[in-house]
Amino acid sequence: MNKDIMSKEEEKKVTDRINELYHKKEREGLTPAEEQERKELHKKFIANFRAAFRQDVEDMVIIDKNGKEVTSERAKRAQRRKGLRKD
């Protein structure tokens, strides 16, 4: 797994805490410390989403309707760096 991507357990903890802070904000408001925590957790969540999405796209192999591979050169380079391609 990519070191930049959270484990499923860590991701669940982050989203649970974000949701908890959201509901508290709606009910009674947040302290400045909680608002800062919410912002940091949100940044962490977005960074994780982007890293996971990038990994998915870079690992994708695209085949056209004739069976020819049409994966972009950029994706191929990323796959070679990761040892996923032999060409």
Side-chain angles (χ1 to χ4, degrees):
M1 179 183 279
N2 186 324
K3 65 179 175 60
D4 297 328
I5 299 175
M6 288 186 255
S7 68
K8 291 294 180 190
E9 297 82 25
E10 186 178 3
E11 184 179 357
K12 180 159 177 26
K13 286 179 186 177
V14 168
T15 54
D16 286 349
R17 182 63 178 152
I18 289 171
N19 288 332
E20 184 181 313
L21 290 170
Y22 168 79
H23 291 296
K24 183 174 188 234
K25 182 179 180 180
E26 294 295 308
R27 284 191 318 271
E28 59 196 75
L30 298 175
T31 66
E34 289 170 329
E35 184 61 33
Q36 184 61 36
E37 178 188 6
R38 187 197 65 75
K39 286 179 183 178
E40 292 301 318
L41 289 170
H42 189 255
K43 284 181 188 177
K44 189 175 184 178
F45 178 83
I46 294 298
N48 182 65
F49 176 84
R50 287 179 176 156
F53 187 78
R54 174 179 288 272
Q55 180 176 332
D56 287 347
V57 170
E58 287 178 349
D59 292 351
M60 195 177 300
V61 175
I62 302 169
I63 308 295
D64 71 8
K65 65 182 178 181
N66 298 320
K68 180 181 175 201
E69 181 180 0
V70 292
T71 306
S72 72
E73 285 304 314
R74 184 176 178 181
K76 287 178 182 180
R77 284 192 304 272
Q79 292 165 359
R80 286 183 193 108
R81 279 194 311 272
K82 293 177 182 181
L84 299 174
R85 292 188 81 91
K86 304 246 187 267
D87 61 351

